Amino acid sequence: MSSPRADPGDLEDAEVIERSVTSPDRFSVIFDRHAAHIHRYLVRRIGPVAAEDALGETFLVAFRKREGYDTERRDARPWLYGIATNLVAQRRRDEVRELKLREALGPPPDEEGTPNASPTR
């Protein structure tokens, strides 16, 4: 373990996360180190707009679970990729569920309240 006065930029991720349990503002070091990598990963998987939200969700989940972080793992990036991957998978499951629901409900009614018919070809 480094000295208590060590610059957070000089500490390994595990030490920063461990210290952030009692000093939550220290977790910003983890964001600063890894956000760009996680963002690029998310953009490739779900596009730039959704990636912005997912990036915030990823670090929020990480922040909330930081007390359970395995400090034997010096680098937090694989942990963050795992969180991001789980969020992408959940987002996709939600999208599939919504599409199935929309399909089961049929087309929305028109302004007069009658169901829109699909054009026949």
Side-chain angles (χ1 to χ4, degrees):
M1 184 72 74
S2 297
S3 71
R5 296 177 189 247
D7 177 5
D10 295 338
L11 301 176
E12 293 180 341
D13 291 346
E15 291 177 276
V16 173
I17 292 170
E18 184 176 49
R19 291 176 183 203
S20 77
V21 172
T22 56
S23 299
D25 58 318
R26 289 182 182 247
F27 196 79
S28 66
V29 171
I30 299 301
F31 182 87
D32 293 342
R33 284 181 186 171
H34 301 293
H37 293 279
I38 302 302
H39 185 258
R40 280 191 299 272
Y41 171 79
L42 290 165
V43 166
R44 288 191 308 266
R45 273 140 192 84
I46 57 177
V49 175
E52 292 297 322
D53 289 337
L55 179 66
E57 289 177 53
T58 298
F59 280 91
L60 181 59
V61 168
F63 181 80
R64 288 179 176 162
K65 293 186 173 190
R66 71 191 189 283
E67 287 185 48
Y69 182 76
D70 179 2
T71 55
E72 294 297 313
R73 296 175 181 248
R74 297 169 158 186
D75 184 4
R77 193 174 301 162
W79 178 59
L80 295 167
Y81 277 128
I83 292 169
T85 298
N86 289 340
L87 289 170
V88 167
Q90 182 61 51
R91 192 176 288 253
R92 289 198 172 132
R93 285 190 298 271
D94 292 346
E95 287 173 0
V96 167
R97 205 175 0 254
E98 183 178 341
L99 287 172
K100 286 181 180 180
L101 179 60
R102 287 177 187 257
E103 187 177 278
L105 292 174
D110 62 16
E111 292 178 14
E112 298 170 1
T114 55
N116 287 325
S118 298
T120 54
R121 294 183 184 202

